[in-house]
């Protein structure tokens, strides 16, 4: 019966787990996940800094409200606190940019007050909002978000602050800081790489972003508990998926499978269908060898066109806070960066300048005094090559400069290294210059292409990067896994309702 078809899912991140869950629920019983590493969860990974739980990967549920499948699952598993689940929190619509209570420090050791800062943040947010609108209205005047924001900031600033020209320089330096932090949100080296017309492809959901008090991985653990124990084959990196395959070996008992999965260790698996959920970064790096025959040109081009960047975290623990009690986000402003730049000119010497924002872990009763620094792009990739000691040294110097306190010393440090993770090759997808929904649809398009005479739906594609509106998120990833499972389910479910193969 169709339910006997051999289905392999490559990658045990949330998209792969979601796909497996749905297929099993619909009676498919020959389902397996092949995972390169020794763990499930992929880019959802909870770690420890001393006794504290910290998120190495995904941090928040973006837009936690009824429409968000990750929120619904987290509620079902009772993983969130009461406040996050409240109707009030679900109704708050912040358009993807939570308004954190900020503290601003500058490179001359000054702390800036809210009178200067507030209006600049508002001004910047307004430019970002306008950037999103070109997706629907078209006619983008410049190719990238970065170029648009900088040009508009320079054009509008003199008028906006004509009563207070004296602070122009510091305001521009603040915009540099805000641009650098925006690189972290988008997961890109510079906002000049993010397409202006494509920026609005990403959609936000209502709800005030929330975290998992016991860690994001609790979601994975709960989902895994509902699946059979032997579902996942760990420590088996897949080297190549051979499709339209005709020479099945003796272990396939005379049956012909259209697919042969070849692992790095030489093991092979015969399959009817494969759902590929590996990160776009990995696919970019192995685009010529991961499939045989190789990917059709339009899919290859879209893989190249879509952006996949690095965003890393640096967790620091302190004896005493240097920030205000109510502070949720610490900004660092370099007073000499008045030229609106979100990249540094000499990465080796000045990478630390890219580290321009820290979120404060709350509640303090649970965490003590822990902050999480955010750093994106090439500077972040360079940071990964340094020893933990070198990073600690640079961060300590940075914070001494900005706080004006020459003795401040972090007690502990932990950083992520997503670019050098061999099975992620970066953090998440962004809509690069020149991209559109068509590129995402191309990524998601199954093989063989429509119109071919060979067996349909051999290779399907899921994962965060294949989701039109919620790429770069956990809910986007989960929806993509469900989508590909549904594709197979409906393929085997003829309109008449009886369950038989269309093959
Ligand atoms: C979210 C958040 N969050 C921070 C950081 C990171 C990410 N995300 P997986 O990679 O999980 O699984 C694939 C598996 O495949 C994996 O296990 C591999 O080992 C395996 N594999 C690879 N190669 C293989 C091979 N050859 N053989 C076998 N197996 C192989 N998302 O919702 N909230 O706060 C953050 C954040 C530092 C790194 C995030 C966040 C992204 C999610 O983590 C990610 O999308 C999903 O976990 C991916 O799941 P998956 O199954 O697809 O792949 C306006 C505007 C515009 C722009 N966007 C702004 C949106 C903001 C997005 N922000 C995210 C920010 C943070 C902070």
């Amino acid at each position: 019966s169709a339910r006997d078809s051999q289905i392999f899912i490559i990658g045990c991140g949330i998209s792969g787990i979601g796909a497996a869950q749905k297929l099993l629920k619909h009676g498919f019983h020959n389902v397996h996940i092949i995972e390169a590493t020794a763990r499930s969860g992929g880019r959802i990974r909870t770690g420890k800094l001393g006794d504290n739980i910290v998120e190495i990967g995904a941090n928040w549920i973006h837009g936690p409200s009824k429409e968000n499948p990750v929120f619904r699952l987290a509620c079902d598993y009772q993983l969130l606190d009461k406040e996050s689940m409240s109707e009030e929190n679900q109704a708050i619509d912040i358009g993807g940019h939570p308004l954190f209570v900020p503290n601003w420090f500058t490179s001359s050791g000054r702390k800036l007050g809210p009178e200067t800062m507030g209006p600049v943040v508002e001004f910047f947010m307004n430019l970002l909002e306008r950037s999103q609108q070109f997706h629907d209205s078209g006619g983008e005047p410049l190719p990238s978000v970065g170029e648009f924001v900088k040009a508009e900031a320079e054009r509008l600033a003199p008028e906006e602050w004509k009563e207070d020209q004296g602070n122009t320089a510091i305001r521009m330096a603040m915009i540099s800081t805000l641009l650098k932090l925006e690189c972290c949100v988008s997961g890109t080296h510079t906002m000049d790489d993010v397409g202006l017309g494509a920026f609005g492809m990403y959609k936000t959901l209502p709800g005030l972003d929330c975290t998992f008090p016991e860690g994001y991985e609790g979601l994975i653990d709960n989902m895994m508990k509902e699946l059979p124990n032997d579902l996942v084959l760990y420590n088996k990196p897949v080297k190549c998926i051979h499709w339209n395959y005709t020479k099945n070996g003796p272990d396939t008992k005379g049956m012909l499978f259209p697919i042969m999965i070849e692992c790095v260790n030489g093991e092979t698996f015969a399959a009817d269908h494969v759902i590929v959920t590996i990160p776009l970064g990995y696919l970019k790096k192995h685009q010529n060898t991961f499939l045989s025959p190789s990917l059709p040109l339009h899919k290859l081009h879209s893989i190249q066109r879509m952006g996949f960047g690095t965003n890393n975290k640096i967790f620091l623990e302190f004896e005493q806070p240097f920030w205000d009690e109510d502070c949720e986000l610490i900004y660092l402003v370099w007073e000499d960066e008045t030229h609106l730049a979100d990249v540094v000119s000499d990465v080796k010497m000045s990478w630390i300048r890219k580290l321009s924002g820290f979120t404060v872990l709350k509640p303090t009763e649970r965490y003590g005094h822990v902050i999480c620094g955010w750093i994106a792009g090439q500077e972040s990739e360079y940071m990964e090559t340094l020893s933990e000691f070198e990073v600690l040294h640079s961060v300590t110097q940075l914070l001494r400069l900005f706080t004006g306190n020459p003795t401040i010393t972090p007690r502990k440090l932990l950083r992520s290294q997503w670019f050098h993770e061999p099975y992620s090759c970066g953090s998440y997808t962004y809509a690069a210059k020149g991209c559109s929904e068509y590129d995402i649809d191309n990524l998601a398009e199954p093989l063989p292409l429509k119109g071919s005479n060979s067996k349909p739906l051999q290779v399907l594609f899921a994962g965060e990067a294949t989701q039109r509106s919620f790429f770069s998120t956990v809910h986007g990833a989960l929806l993509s896994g469900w989508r590909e499972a549904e594709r197979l389910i409906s393929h085997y479910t003829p309109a008449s309702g009886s369950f038989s193969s269309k093959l």
Side-chain angles (χ1 to χ4, degrees):
S1 113
R3 287 189 171 98
D4 295 332
S5 46
Q6 288 283 352
I7 304 175
F8 282 90
I9 297 163
I10 317 294
C12 196
I14 195 156
S15 61
I17 299 168
Q21 203 178 38
K22 200 161 268 276
L23 287 167
L24 290 165
K25 223 175 252 170
H26 281 78
F28 290 84
H29 53 92
N30 284 325
V31 178
H32 288 280
I33 299 181
I34 307 183
E35 166 57 43
T37 69
R39 58 178 287 279
S40 34
R43 283 171 275 170
I44 295 175
R45 192 202 296 175
T46 305
K48 281 244 158 149
L49 177 71
D51 294 334
N52 279 320
I53 280 170
V54 289
E55 303 293 358
I56 312 293
N59 218 77
W60 294 282
I61 303 181
H62 291 306
S65 51
K66 301 256 146 56
E67 240 188 282
N68 187 326
V70 171
F71 176 69
R72 290 199 307 265
L73 273 181
C75 290
D76 289 349
Y77 295 136
Q78 301 184 316
L79 299 174
L80 303 178
D81 60 28
K82 269 212 189 84
E83 200 183 327
S84 308
M85 290 191 289
S86 67
E87 293 292 332
E88 301 81 75
N89 270 38
Q90 291 183 53
I92 297 172
D93 201 345
I94 37 88
H97 279 92
L99 288 172
F100 293 115
V101 175
N103 274 184
W104 292 82
F105 295 90
T106 83
S107 50
S108 64
R110 285 195 293 154
K111 202 165 162 203
L112 300 172
E115 330 71 64
T116 333
M117 324 320 322
V120 180
V121 175
E122 211 170 292
F123 177 75
F124 182 80
M125 290 305 162
N126 187 268
L127 294 179
L128 279 186
E129 244 162 63
R130 284 179 53 211
S131 303
Q132 279 158 352
Q133 287 161 8
F134 294 106
H135 180 250
D136 296 325
S137 65
E140 62 262 31
L142 286 162
S144 74
V145 175
E147 288 157 281
F148 176 74
V149 166
K150 286 184 272 186
E152 284 298 276
E154 264 156 10
R155 186 175 71 85
L156 297 171
E159 177 63 22
E160 182 87 14
W161 290 297
K162 61 173 182 284
E163 261 92 71
D164 182 17
Q165 303 275 354
N167 280 317
T168 301
I170 194 76
R171 286 198 184 97
M172 290 301 166
M174 286 175 64
I175 291 175
S176 292
T177 294
L178 291 165
L179 276 170
K180 286 188 248 176
L181 264 181
E182 207 48 41
C183 290
C184 299
V185 175
S186 277
T188 183
H189 176 54
T190 156
M191 291 309 285
D192 293 7
D193 290 344
V194 178
L196 185 54
F199 194 48
M201 261 160 58
Y202 180 82
K203 299 280 178 286
T204 58
L205 295 170
L208 191 63
D209 290 6
C210 67
T211 56
F212 291 75
E214 305 294 331
Y216 227 125
E217 245 185 81
L219 176 67
I220 298 294
D221 295 343
N222 275 278
M223 291 175 86
M224 292 301 290
K225 268 192 216 137
E226 295 177 358
L227 301 173
N229 272 333
D230 56 355
L231 179 87
V232 189
L233 310 170
Y234 290 105
N235 296 309
K236 291 196 199 309
V238 170
K239 183 176 170 192
C240 182
I241 296 166
H242 303 265
W243 55 291
N244 271 346
Y245 195 71
T246 49
K247 328 179 266 283
N248 285 170
D251 56 331
T252 54
K253 302 189 185 88
M255 284 163 70
L256 261 193
F257 290 92
I259 290 168
M260 198 264 282
I261 301 163
E262 181 193 354
C263 294
V264 169
N265 69 2
E267 260 180 282
T268 59
F269 300 93
D272 293 298
H273 308 283
V274 176
I275 303 180
V276 174
T277 77
I278 60 175
L280 175 62
Y282 184 93
L283 211 51
K284 277 177 182 280
K285 203 166 168 181
H286 303 275
Q287 57 189 12
N288 296 321
T289 53
F290 196 70
L291 276 106
S292 169
S294 65
L295 288 155
L297 270 184
H298 68 285
K299 273 179 87 79
L300 268 180
H301 286 158
S302 290
I303 289 170
Q304 291 157 4
R305 257 198 304 270
M306 284 296 295
F308 193 81
T310 304
N311 178 23
N312 273 312
K313 306 182 184 180
I314 304 177
F315 292 98
L316 301 164
E317 189 185 277
F318 293 87
E319 203 91 44
Q320 288 303 324
F322 61 84
W323 54 92
D324 296 343
E325 203 176 320
D326 63 345
C327 170
E328 295 168 312
L329 178 58
I330 296 161
Y331 291 100
L332 306 185
V333 182
W334 289 87
E335 293 190 15
D336 60 351
E337 285 182 4
T338 56
H339 51 291
L340 298 187
D342 55 3
V343 294
V344 309
S345 50
D346 182 344
V347 170
K348 282 191 180 166
M349 289 297 294
S350 313
W351 66 271
I352 194 77
R353 278 181 176 250
K354 193 70 173 276
L355 177 63
S356 63
F358 298 81
T359 45
V360 181
L361 271 57
K362 300 271 169 137
T364 309
E365 308 86 70
R366 181 182 310 136
Y367 284 100
H369 308 299
V370 180
I371 58 176
C372 170
W374 298 84
I375 179 164
Q378 285 158 19
E379 298 85 350
S380 185
E381 292 163 11
Y382 177 72
M383 177 280 292
E384 291 187 22
T385 67
L386 302 174
S387 70
E388 203 165 270
F389 179 80
E390 287 170 301
V391 176
L392 181 64
H393 177 77
S394 297
V395 174
T396 304
Q397 296 305 318
L398 177 82
L399 292 176
R400 288 181 177 173
L401 181 70
F402 278 77
T403 56
N405 174 350
T407 60
I408 202 167
T409 309
R411 200 155 59 175
K412 286 199 190 80
L413 176 143
L414 179 76
R415 45 90 190 252
S416 61
Q417 290 168 294
W418 286 104
F419 184 66
H420 288 89
E421 289 288 336
Y423 301 107
S424 305
C425 311
S427 300
Y428 41 88
T429 301
Y430 65 89
K433 244 177 354 194
C435 278
S436 73
E437 277 94 347
Y438 296 114
D439 292 300
I440 295 191
D441 294 350
N442 283 346
L443 290 188
E445 189 181 19
L447 294 174
L449 301 174
K450 276 216 174 81
S452 144
N453 289 328
S454 28
K455 274 195 176 180
L457 300 186
Q458 293 177 35
V459 191
L460 300 93
F461 296 86
E464 159 269 307
T466 69
Q467 217 289 336
R468 266 186 164 215
S469 319
F470 306 124
F471 54 86
S472 77
T473 68
V474 173
H475 54 285
L478 180 59
L479 288 171
S480 76
W482 286 353
R483 179 195 67 216
E484 294 311 310
E486 298 281 6
R487 202 194 290 274
L488 280 178
I489 292 161
S490 55
H491 172 71
Y492 283 112
T493 315
S496 70
S498 73
F499 195 90
S500 70
S501 171
K502 273 198 221 162
L503 289 173

